[in-house]
Amino acid sequence: MADALPKFIDGLSYTGLSLRRGDLLTGMHDGTATGGRAGVRPGGGGLGVTLAGNTITVAAGVAFLQYQSGQGLYRACLASSSNLTLTSPHATLSRIDLVYLRVWDTVVDASGMTQADVVYLAGTPASSPVAPTPTGTQIYIPLATITVPPSGGGSASVSTAVMPYTVAPGGILPSSSAPPNPYIGQYWDDGSSLRRWNGSAWRPVSPFAPQSTDQVSQPSFGSVGVWVDFTSAQWPPITFVVPPSGMAWVTIGAATQNTNTPTATAWASWRASGGYTRVPSETNGVCAMNGRTYASRRVLVSGMTAGASVTLTPNWQVSSAGTAGSITRISDGQLSVEPVAG
């Protein structure tokens, strides 16, 4: 029969199973409608595992545990740190040990106990050791593995990579693997970028910060009628990684001036090299003719190869040149790139 008792109504009595099912509303689902994701609450160092000599210390913390989908979520709290003892190393072989948080519920596991605590399980020494798996009916989550080299082979090391995390519904889950059966608008932090489920795929959310480079000094305008790179000392280039969308906004702005003749021009532009190439031109530059112009131009660049490294180099061109600074001038420039997440 379905657990149809509403919670927090006077006069009703509840089983542990009924209360655990009510707690499903407080935790992220496990990919099923009546399941909850087991894990440690992220942040604060809760249930962290450290090793000093042969003493294993598990920090205080809280977690949700689940035996199987439909059985609700167990709340477990380690109110203070707990110490365990590392088994001595094997003479010639390495092993991997496991530290885990367990709930004993005699209704489920027939253990005769109702409690929560941390457990240490030594692995089997082997030339290619693997972490052990708790046997029998156990309600648990892994907290850490401990790699123990053979005697005289160095110090044992702790890894908490196996520790699962869980968050409230709508929270951002930090995990190396994507949450199952996501909903549109769900967020997930894969450890390197924030992602959002759009209904068909996990897409990065603004994973790339804008970059900019500012002009330091003017060129001497020793060449006319040709595009010339600003030196890195005059105006440094920018190198960026193309996002998965293959697109980026590139903006250049500068104060340009050329009054050497009635038709004299002064251009500031940029060129791209590396994983994408583009030459400086009127389509991606700003210009002044027989006067002074303060302007910027923003261009959407598309069709680039995702993951490629692209360098943007500021360029200048003048049709003729007078005294640098007073007659012919390109100054106060800025070149920026804004990768588009898509």
Side-chain angles (χ1 to χ4, degrees):
M1 178 179 176
D3 182 4
L5 288 178
K7 302 303 181 282
F8 306 110
I9 294 181
D10 292 343
L12 294 180
S13 297
Y14 306 100
T15 65
L17 175 59
S18 179
L19 290 173
R20 292 195 305 273
R21 284 173 171 169
D23 265 358
L24 290 170
L25 286 170
T26 67
M28 174 177 283
H29 69 76
D30 65 350
T32 66
T34 59
R37 180 182 172 89
V40 176
R41 183 177 66 183
L47 299 175
V49 179
T50 56
L51 179 65
N54 67 344
T55 300
I56 305 165
T57 301
V58 182
V62 295
F64 273 137
L65 295 88
Q66 179 181 241
Y67 173 53
Q68 61 186 20
S69 186
Q71 294 294 308
L73 289 168
Y74 291 87
R75 303 183 190 185
C77 174
L78 195 65
S80 59
S81 62
S82 181
N83 290 331
L84 305 164
T85 301
L86 184 73
T87 298
S88 299
H90 188 269
T92 59
L93 297 172
S94 298
R95 71 167 194 271
I96 300 176
D97 302 343
L98 179 69
V99 179
Y100 62 96
L101 176 67
R102 177 178 178 180
V103 166
W104 286 263
D105 179 357
T106 190
V107 175
V108 174
D109 58 23
S111 62
M113 297 187 292
T114 52
Q115 66 181 60
D117 206 346
V118 288
V119 180
Y120 166 69
L121 180 60
T124 300
S127 56
S128 299
V130 295
T133 300
T135 59
T137 302
Q138 294 199 36
I139 306 161
Y140 76 97
I141 57 170
L143 299 179
T145 55
I146 303 175
T147 300
V148 184
S151 181
S155 300
S157 59
V158 176
S159 170
T160 57
V162 295
M163 179 188 291
Y165 292 102
T166 190
V167 293
I172 298 175
L173 179 70
S175 174
S176 59
S177 57
N181 196 17
Y183 55 87
I184 294 176
Q186 184 171 351
Y187 289 88
W188 159 52
D189 189 326
D190 67 5
S192 60
S193 65
L194 180 64
R195 297 178 179 272
R196 178 184 181 274
W197 181 256
N198 66 4
S200 59
W202 290 100
R203 300 305 300 270
V205 179
S206 300
F208 301 96
Q211 295 176 250
S212 66
T213 177
D214 295 328
Q215 183 182 357
V216 177
S217 60
Q218 296 189 67
S220 60
F221 303 114
S223 300
V224 296
V226 294
W227 289 105
V228 181
D229 288 352
F230 281 88
T231 67
S232 58
Q234 294 167 346
W235 194 344
I238 297 176
T239 299
F240 71 99
V241 176
V242 178
S245 67
M247 298 186 294
W249 288 102
V250 180
T251 304
I252 189 166
T256 57
Q257 173 186 327
N258 200 345
T259 57
N260 192 50
T261 70
T263 58
T265 58
W267 282 89
S269 184
W270 52 269
R271 67 177 179 87
S273 59
Y276 170 77
T277 58
R278 182 165 177 168
V279 297
S281 70
E282 295 181 1
T283 64
N284 60 341
V286 293
C287 175
M289 183 172 70
N290 191 30
R292 178 182 298 176
T293 300
Y294 298 86
S296 63
R297 185 161 196 170
R298 190 170 188 240
V299 177
L300 179 62
V301 180
S302 61
M304 296 183 289
T305 302
S309 179
V310 176
T311 298
L312 304 178
T313 303
N315 269 239
W316 62 269
Q317 184 191 107
V318 294
S319 60
S320 64
T323 304
S326 59
I327 301 298
T328 305
R329 171 189 175 191
I330 302 174
S331 66
D332 305 301
Q334 183 180 78
L335 177 64
S336 64
V337 59
E338 304 164 80
V340 177

